[in-house]
């Protein structure tokens, strides 16, 4: 039986996407294995706080996302209704994962600006507005979209056969929000670069800039993927973005907590203009 070039291209995209998702799972397991000791030291020795709860959810939510994604890619099931359900779950959990990752840096930006409550309210309301808009667009585009599986036997997985170009908008909103927080961090760093010599403060700023540089790159990549690519290529990188941002956010939080803990052990006075986050060595 001969297959059309479209069938072959769709099958190839499903195979490549499956390999990428398997690689993502490997990266997540490797990262978790490497940080196992430090992570459980933090979980067992730090005091309970809202930020610790945020850490736990942000850290382990990608595991659920990867599990559903791998099931979707490797299960030989031609049920397209189930495909729609799992795509919706992935989209929803992915947006939630990004929001939790961003919450770390909303709090850090708030701390850098001397706990300015007006700024915090502005950032939180903007994030909430973007969250509602992203959920609305994602589900309005995902639910009515048609799905297809490979016509070639032995190729598992499914993809969106009718493209919803509006799915790039959540990534555009995320890019805008991340750029705004990066600009706020840069403004504060420029204002304080002469008067603040704390190493912890410097690490905090470096973390923010590094995180948003990678986050902006991922957002731009996913915008162009949804606009220019076809078949399962469109969605193959958005879970990767969610996972990497969660890993980076939690890794940076863990590093900052360890630095603050070591500073308190050695009796070194550590000052960061963030009373709520630095006064409790368990939260940052």
């Amino acid at each position: 039986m001969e297959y059309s070039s479209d069938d072959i291209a769709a099958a190839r995209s499903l195979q490549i996407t499956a390999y990428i998702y398997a690689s993502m799972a490997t990266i997540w397991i490797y990262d978790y294995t490497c940080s196992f000791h430090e992570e459980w030291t933090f979980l067992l020795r730090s005091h309970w706080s809202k930020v610790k709860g945020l850490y736990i959810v942000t850290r382990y939510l990608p595991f659920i996302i990867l599990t559903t994604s791998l099931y979707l890619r490797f299960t030989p099931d031609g049920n397209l209704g189930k495909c729609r359900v799992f795509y919706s779950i992935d989209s929803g959990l992915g947006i939630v994962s990004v929001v939790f990752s961003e919450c770390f840096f909303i709090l850090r930006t708030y701390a850098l600006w001397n706990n300015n409550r007006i700024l915090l309210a502005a950032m939180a309301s903007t994030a909430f507005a973007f969250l509602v808009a992203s959920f609305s667009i994602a589900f309005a585009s995902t639910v009515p979209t048609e799905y297809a599986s490979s016509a070639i036997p032995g190729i598992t997985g499914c993809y969106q056969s009718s493209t919803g170009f509006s799915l790039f908008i959540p990534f555009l909103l995320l890019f805008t929000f991340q750029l705004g927080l990066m600009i706020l961090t840069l403004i504060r760093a420029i204002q304080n670069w002469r008067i603040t010599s704390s190493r912890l403060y410097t690490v905090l700023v470096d973390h923010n800039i590094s995180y948003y540089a990678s986050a902006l790159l991922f957002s731009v990549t996913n915008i162009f993927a949804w606009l220019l690519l076809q078949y399962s290529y469109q969605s193959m990188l958005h879970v990767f973005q969610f996972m990497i941002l969660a890993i980076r956010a939690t890794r940076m939080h863990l590093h900052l907590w360890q630095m603050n803990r070591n500073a308190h052990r050695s009796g070194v006075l550590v000052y960061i203009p963030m009373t709520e986050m630095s006064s409790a060595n368990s939260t940052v």
Side-chain angles (χ1 to χ4, degrees), residues 47 111 115 200 260 264 270-284:
H47 298 293
N115 300 338
L200 202 57
N260 206 23
H264 279 276
V270 178
Y271 174 76
I272 303 178
M274 51 171 95
T275 55
E276 291 187 4
M277 295 181 71
S278 63
S279 60
N281 61 2
S282 63
T283 55
V284 172

Side-chain angles (χ1 to χ4, degrees), residues 174-184 212 216:
L174 179 61
F175 175 88
T176 304
F177 184 72
Q178 291 169 338
L179 182 61
L181 290 187
M182 185 176 183
I183 291 172
L184 287 172
Y212 284 116
L216 291 172

Side-chain angles (χ1 to χ4, degrees), residues 158-277:
C158 58
Y159 62 95
Q160 295 175 324
S161 58
S162 60
T163 305
F165 286 105
S166 58
L167 285 172
F168 83 92
I169 297 178
F171 292 100
L172 182 61
L173 294 176
L174 179 61
F175 175 88
T176 304
F177 184 72
Q178 291 169 338
L179 182 61
L181 290 187
M182 185 176 183
I183 291 172
L184 287 172
T185 299
L186 287 172
I187 291 173
R188 199 59 176 170
I190 293 171
Q191 290 176 343
N192 291 343
W193 72 278
R194 287 186 175 180
I195 62 176
T196 304
S197 58
S198 168
R199 181 169 179 267
L200 202 57
Y201 180 89
T202 303
V203 169
L204 182 67
V205 173
D206 288 344
H207 280 182
N208 281 24
I209 300 301
S210 173
Y211 174 87
Y212 284 116
S214 60
L216 291 172
L217 178 61
F218 274 119
S219 294
V220 169
T221 302
N222 273 301
I223 288 171
F224 282 107
W226 279 107
L227 289 175
L228 302 178
L229 300 182
Q230 293 181 318
Y231 310 116
S232 62
Y233 294 124
Q234 290 180 319
S235 60
M236 67 181 178
L237 292 178
H238 73 270
V239 173
F240 188 62
Q241 176 176 0
F242 303 151
M243 183 190 71
I244 293 298
L245 294 186
I247 288 175
R248 299 209 68 192
T250 51
R251 277 276 194 163
M252 289 175 178
H253 179 79
L254 191 61
H255 180 221
L256 206 59
W257 177 82
Q258 289 172 332
M259 284 188 62
N260 206 23
R261 180 166 173 259
N262 292 336
H264 279 276
R265 274 181 170 181
S266 61
V268 177
L269 178 62
V270 178
Y271 174 76
I272 303 178
M274 51 171 95
T275 55
E276 291 187 4
M277 295 181 71

Side-chain angles (χ1 to χ4, degrees), residues 3-275:
Y3 298 99
S4 67
S5 59
D6 190 62
D7 290 336
I8 296 173
R12 185 179 294 113
S13 75
L14 287 171
Q15 285 183 313
I16 293 174
T17 304
Y19 296 149
I20 290 175
Y21 275 83
S23 300
M24 291 181 202
T26 304
I27 292 171
W28 194 90
I29 294 171
Y30 175 77
D31 175 77
Y32 185 77
T33 303
C34 290
S35 62
F36 181 83
H37 176 72
E38 293 84 357
E39 182 165 332
W40 279 95
T41 300
F42 165 71
L43 293 176
L44 295 175
R45 296 187 181 182
S46 62
H47 298 293
W48 180 259
S49 67
K50 293 178 181 178
V51 178
K52 184 176 179 178
L54 178 65
Y55 176 95
I56 293 172
V57 175
T58 306
R59 179 60 168 148
Y60 293 101
L61 189 57
F63 174 75
I64 301 175
I65 297 173
L66 282 171
T67 301
T68 58
S69 298
L70 289 172
Y71 177 84
L72 184 64
R73 303 298 171 184
F74 288 98
T75 302
D77 190 345
N79 188 334
L80 299 182
K82 185 183 292 185
C83 181
R84 177 178 285 102
V85 170
F86 276 94
Y87 259 101
S88 299
I89 291 173
D90 269 358
S91 298
L93 291 180
I95 294 172
V96 171
S97 176
V98 169
V99 168
F100 283 133
S101 297
E102 296 300 315
C103 281
F104 280 104
F105 294 90
I106 291 175
L107 292 174
R108 289 180 175 209
T109 305
Y110 167 62
L112 287 172
W113 283 84
N114 295 328
N115 300 338
N116 187 315
R117 293 187 178 276
I118 296 177
L119 179 62
L120 177 63
M123 291 188 294
S125 58
T126 302
F128 180 75
F130 283 2
L131 173 64
V132 172
S134 296
F135 264 115
S136 301
I137 294 169
F139 286 103
S141 302
T142 301
V143 173
T145 300
E146 295 181 4
Y147 293 83
S149 57
S150 175
I152 301 177
I155 305 297
T156 58
C158 58
Y159 62 95
Q160 295 175 324
S161 58
S162 60
T163 305
F165 286 105
S166 58
L167 285 172
F168 83 92
I169 297 178
F171 292 100
L172 182 61
L173 294 176
L174 179 61
F175 175 88
T176 304
F177 184 72
Q178 291 169 338
L179 182 61
L181 290 187
M182 185 176 183
I183 291 172
L184 287 172
T185 299
L186 287 172
I187 291 173
R188 199 59 176 170
I190 293 171
Q191 290 176 343
N192 291 343
W193 72 278
R194 287 186 175 180
I195 62 176
T196 304
S197 58
S198 168
R199 181 169 179 267
L200 202 57
Y201 180 89
T202 303
V203 169
L204 182 67
V205 173
D206 288 344
H207 280 182
N208 281 24
I209 300 301
S210 173
Y211 174 87
Y212 284 116
S214 60
L216 291 172
L217 178 61
F218 274 119
S219 294
V220 169
T221 302
N222 273 301
I223 288 171
F224 282 107
W226 279 107
L227 289 175
L228 302 178
L229 300 182
Q230 293 181 318
Y231 310 116
S232 62
Y233 294 124
Q234 290 180 319
S235 60
M236 67 181 178
L237 292 178
H238 73 270
V239 173
F240 188 62
Q241 176 176 0
F242 303 151
M243 183 190 71
I244 293 298
L245 294 186
I247 288 175
R248 299 209 68 192
T250 51
R251 277 276 194 163
M252 289 175 178
H253 179 79
L254 191 61
H255 180 221
L256 206 59
W257 177 82
Q258 289 172 332
M259 284 188 62
N260 206 23
R261 180 166 173 259
N262 292 336
H264 279 276
R265 274 181 170 181
S266 61
V268 177
L269 178 62
V270 178
Y271 174 76
I272 303 178
M274 51 171 95
T275 55

